[in-house]
Amino acid sequence: MPQTVVLPGPAPWGFRLSGGIDFNQPLVITRITPGSKAAAANLCPGDVILAIDGFGTESMTHGDAQDRIKAAAHQLCLKIDRAETRLWSPQVSEDGKTHPFKINLESEPQDVNYFEHKHNIRPKPFIIPGRSSEPTASVPPQSDVYRMLHDNGNEPAQPRQSGSFRVLQELVNDDDRPAGTRSVRAPVTKVHGGAGSAQRMPLCDKCGNGIVGAVVKARDKYRHPECFVCADCNLNLKQKGYFFVEGELYCETHARARTRPPEGYDTVTLYPKA
């Protein structure tokens, strides 16, 4: 609804403009400074300025509107158009006057006598008009159905079985079953003997204990890595070569000492091919 607002001079007026014909938008007040002359004249953000000191703003650019407002010295007359809705800015009143820099964030008291405003105040059951609010039992307490439901609830529930399983169970339990049928039993997994099928633990040829983990095999004998040593000097034979002499392991030096070639022959070391 168009209305005329007069601001007494001089400037500053206390409001900010946006828009203009150069922006293809109407001139609109976007901000009001609290405590200013615009605030005292009840101007609001969102008011559309239709005229400035009697000059229409339909063909004014943003700069022309600013020049018109700056040219006003004694007073500024604005014709505005205000929508029916407006922004609410709560103010704080002190000594009967509105404080320009304080706002009240406390909610306004509301009437809670309406049904719509009583959400979560106190939960109540939904009652259809014309019916009693007292719950009615669908089954009479002393009826046969009522007793059957309650008696079955106290008894332990039987495991549920499929129809095909019950038929097979009846055939198994019935001695006078039809000809051509036979007893059906659940398959039983046979447990093989542990001694025959289990893998035997290798025994160390030197210490006689079982070997768990890394194992060294020399011909048909097994040894711990730490037991893989020369029988004379206890030198570990790992990556050094070993020699069997009369069933014992020796290093090259002691193997030569224990081996005597026939007369006229020399001792020659032969290494196995990789």
Side-chain angles (χ1 to χ4, degrees):
M1 180 178 179
Q3 54 182 300
T4 302
V5 178
V6 178
L7 305 181
W13 310 109
F15 64 91
R16 180 175 295 176
L17 281 179
S18 69
I21 193 173
D22 48 343
F23 293 99
N24 293 325
Q25 293 180 356
L27 288 170
V28 180
I29 296 177
T30 58
R31 184 178 181 275
I32 300 295
T33 303
S36 64
K37 297 178 180 179
N42 200 24
L43 287 177
C44 300
D47 291 345
V48 179
I49 299 179
L50 303 178
I52 301 174
D53 285 340
F55 295 93
T57 60
E58 296 85 357
S59 59
M60 281 189 184
T61 63
H62 188 81
D64 294 341
Q66 288 182 338
D67 294 339
R68 286 289 179 185
I69 294 173
K70 292 177 182 179
H74 301 289
Q75 66 178 13
L76 178 62
C77 182
L78 300 176
K79 185 179 181 180
I80 63 173
D81 185 14
R82 178 174 298 170
E84 294 182 1
T85 59
R86 53 170 296 184
L87 298 177
W88 176 66
S89 179
Q91 302 291 334
V92 176
S93 298
E94 295 181 354
D95 298 333
K97 297 181 180 180
T98 302
H99 197 283
F101 302 108
K102 292 184 180 180
I103 61 175
N104 182 17
L105 299 180
E106 184 179 0
S107 61
E108 294 183 350
Q110 300 179 2
D111 184 9
V112 295
N113 293 326
Y114 297 101
F115 176 78
E116 292 81 0
H117 294 167
K118 292 186 177 181
H119 298 304
N120 300 330
I121 293 179
R122 189 174 184 180
K124 295 181 180 180
F126 179 75
I127 302 174
I128 301 177
R131 295 189 181 182
S132 173
S133 61
E134 296 295 331
T136 58
S138 59
V139 180
Q142 301 301 326
S143 65
D144 295 337
V145 176
Y146 182 86
R147 286 195 298 270
M148 180 183 66
L149 293 175
H150 282 264
D151 292 343
N152 292 340
N154 297 330
E155 296 179 0
Q158 297 295 330
R160 302 181 64 181
Q161 298 177 345
S162 63
S164 59
F165 183 85
R166 287 197 299 269
V167 171
L168 293 175
Q169 188 67 35
E170 291 174 0
L171 293 177
V172 171
N173 297 334
D174 189 6
D175 294 336
D176 299 331
R177 54 181 176 269
T181 60
R182 59 187 179 88
S183 300
V184 179
R185 296 182 179 179
V188 179
T189 304
K190 296 182 179 180
V191 180
H192 300 283
S197 61
Q199 185 178 2
R200 297 182 58 184
M201 180 183 298
L203 298 179
C204 180
D205 179 64
K206 181 175 177 61
C207 64
N209 296 326
I211 302 175
V212 178
V215 59
V216 179
K217 182 179 180 182
R219 291 188 181 178
D220 57 344
K221 298 182 179 181
Y222 299 91
R223 290 200 178 189
H224 293 99
E226 57 272 15
C227 294
F228 188 56
V229 295
C230 176
D232 282 346
C233 62
N234 288 329
L235 175 67
N236 196 296
L237 303 177
K238 181 179 179 182
Q239 297 180 353
K240 294 183 180 180
Y242 60 90
F243 301 85
F244 270 101
V245 179
E246 297 179 356
E248 294 291 338
L249 282 173
Y250 294 95
C251 61
E252 182 178 0
T253 302
H254 292 92
R256 287 178 180 273
R258 289 180 174 273
T259 303
R260 293 181 180 180
E263 185 177 354
Y265 291 87
D266 296 331
T267 303
V268 178
T269 303
L270 298 177
Y271 297 94
K273 296 182 179 180

